[in-house]
Amino acid sequence: MPRPPAPTAAPAPPVAETLGLGPKLLRYLGGSVVATVCSEVTFVLLYGPVHVGTTSASLVGWLAGAVPNYWLNRRWAWQRTGRPSFRTELLPYITIVLMTLLLATGITHLLDVWLHHLGTQASLRVALVAVAYLGVYALMFVLRFVLLDRLFERVARLEARHHHARTEAAS
């Protein structure tokens, strides 16, 4: 008696279709708020009371936010679990968030130099540079969401194709 053909799994729909854009954006906002608070507090403490330069404060502040941002948004917004692929997931993420680091570092440095040149009082300078640092993150919020959404959709499609190919090979 001939065997019926093995059922084939349909490729997973893009991440945006399965999660819905509104709820995903809200989850992304939640993860980004946590990461931004970590980043901003670290930057302000280093740049203000500790008197670290803007470049070092931006770098450490970025790192303080980038790590929780990745894990929170990967899990919450895009509901991804399991071990991430360095090539298809981590490397593109690092590239995307490095844009924010470069922008934050450049803007805070230029503003700090300009405010020093003007002779701005230290406490006002710290406040203005901190607002500029936060402003970069606010401006990059939407761009990062769009880029990360595309990244995680692409990863989901690649995984679905890989799973489909394994299923086909096993039958």
Side-chain angles (χ1 to χ4, degrees):
M1 181 184 232
R3 290 176 67 187
T8 58
V15 176
E17 289 178 24
T18 58
L19 297 178
L21 193 56
K24 182 175 22 172
L25 187 57
L26 287 175
R27 288 189 296 268
Y28 174 73
L29 176 63
S32 294
V33 166
V34 170
T36 300
V37 168
C38 293
S39 184
E40 185 75 14
V41 167
T42 302
F43 176 83
V44 169
L45 288 175
L46 290 174
Y47 177 67
V50 180
H51 304 291
V52 171
T54 56
T55 301
S56 296
S58 292
L59 179 60
V60 176
W62 170 81
L63 189 58
V67 172
N69 185 57
Y70 174 75
W71 292 107
L72 291 173
N73 283 320
R74 181 180 192 266
R75 180 70 183 114
W76 289 354
W78 286 278
Q79 300 187 344
R80 306 233 349 118
T81 58
R83 185 176 178 177
S85 162
F86 181 78
R87 186 178 60 79
T88 61
E89 192 173 319
L90 286 172
L91 193 57
Y93 171 78
I94 291 167
T95 303
I96 291 167
V97 298
L98 276 175
M99 291 185 306
T100 305
L101 171 63
L102 294 174
L103 196 56
T105 302
I107 287 175
T108 57
H109 175 73
L110 291 173
L111 182 58
D112 182 62
V113 168
W114 184 60
L115 292 172
H116 267 289
H117 176 74
L118 292 176
T120 306
Q121 182 185 14
S123 58
L124 178 59
R125 189 177 67 250
V126 168
L128 291 173
V129 171
V131 167
Y133 183 82
L134 183 61
V136 168
Y137 283 83
L139 288 173
M140 293 297 292
F141 173 83
V142 172
L143 178 61
R144 279 195 327 261
F145 176 79
V146 169
L147 293 174
L148 291 173
D149 193 48
R150 288 183 179 183
L151 167 67
F152 285 116
E153 282 184 16
R154 184 177 60 85
V155 170
R157 282 193 305 274
L158 288 172
E159 288 174 350
R161 272 191 234 135
H162 182 68
H163 176 72
H164 182 69
R166 279 193 320 232
T167 305
E168 289 289 316
S171 24

